[in-house]
Amino acid sequence: MHVTRRDLVNALASGGGAVLAATFHVAGRLRPTAKPLHPRGRVVRATLVRRGLSPACGVRWLDEPGVDEVLARPSRATGLPASLPDIHGLALRVPLASGGHGDLLFASTGKGPITRFTLTVSRSEQRRPLTTLLPYRAPAGPLLLAAFPTAPDRFDLACASPRGRWRVFGDLVLHDVAVVDADPVISFDPVLDTVPGLEPYEWVRRLREGAYAEARRTR
């Protein structure tokens, strides 16, 4: 039987996804009343002003200017005390014209051609770039998103090909008003809830879907 490169990548991703799902299962057993990962966080309202892109990348949400009132959740991955370094996360829930929503997840990384795929730690989400870590399938090819801190609770949102330069498409401002009782129940899921034009690759879906399903189950 001929095995293609895509078959091999998907198989490896499925194996990796099983490991991640097991990790989330263990974390959920250890933290039965909290999120398995990123347990420390807050859900706040935020405003995203999209500048648009020229030349366009083929994703309407990135290419066209607009204003979105979004939900944002800054968080710490392992839940260590604030005085200690941790991997930081930023989740965004974007309203869609269809009436649904799309979720985007960012984690603290570098921003170079290699380091944008490497998780990093710091004491604050304001000290490191945050990227989607894994690429989306976009009309013009693989695309990553990033959030670059510019001031307290302010970020430039940008996109780039896996090894390309970052192009800023929007300004994100987090408001210092928590959404009451939202954090324990809201679940950001970039596999189930996507922004049109930013579709997970099959290998990304296989890598993530088990972990997110386990996270929903344990909660």
Side-chain angles (χ1 to χ4, degrees):
M1 181 179 65
H2 177 65
V3 177
T4 67
R5 180 180 178 182
R6 177 178 297 180
D7 292 334
L8 180 59
V9 169
N10 287 341
L12 290 173
S14 294
V19 172
L20 286 176
T23 301
F24 271 57
H25 176 77
V26 172
R29 295 292 296 271
L30 294 175
R31 292 187 177 122
T33 60
K35 299 173 188 287
L37 291 178
H38 292 274
R40 293 180 182 269
R42 71 189 195 281
V43 176
V44 299
R45 300 194 184 279
T47 301
L48 171 58
V49 178
R50 289 179 284 113
R51 308 177 190 176
L53 288 175
S54 182
C57 71
V59 179
R60 184 174 180 180
W61 185 72
L62 301 176
D63 292 337
E64 298 181 356
V67 178
D68 298 317
E69 298 301 326
V70 305
L71 294 181
R73 184 181 189 265
S75 62
R76 295 168 63 86
T78 64
L80 292 172
S83 60
L84 297 176
D86 203 340
I87 297 169
H88 290 269
L90 177 65
L92 297 181
R93 174 154 292 178
V94 179
L96 303 178
S98 63
H101 63 263
D103 291 341
L104 302 171
L105 299 188
F106 302 83
S108 54
T109 65
K111 63 179 181 179
I114 296 176
T115 58
R116 64 186 63 178
F117 303 104
T118 307
L119 293 170
T120 61
V121 299
S122 67
R123 289 187 175 87
S124 168
E125 72 270 11
Q126 298 292 326
R127 296 186 179 182
R128 300 295 304 168
L130 300 102
T131 73
T132 51
L133 197 64
L134 299 174
Y136 287 97
R137 184 198 301 273
L143 198 67
L144 288 100
L145 304 184
F148 299 133
T150 57
D153 291 332
R154 290 176 177 266
F155 301 83
D156 279 347
L157 294 192
C159 62
S161 64
R163 300 183 66 84
R165 67 178 181 87
W166 293 105
R167 302 169 64 199
V168 174
F169 69 86
D171 307 289
L172 177 70
V173 179
L174 276 56
H175 306 307
D176 192 22
V177 179
V179 180
V180 179
D181 297 330
D183 190 55
V185 297
I186 193 169
S187 179
F188 295 87
D189 192 324
V191 174
L192 290 180
D193 302 309
T194 61
V195 174
L198 296 173
E199 301 298 327
Y201 282 94
E202 178 60 24
W203 65 269
V204 173
R205 188 181 301 277
R206 292 187 182 207
L207 185 64
R208 281 181 161 172
E209 63 183 354
Y212 287 110
E214 186 63 32
R216 291 192 298 271
R217 190 193 68 79
T218 57
R219 293 177 58 210

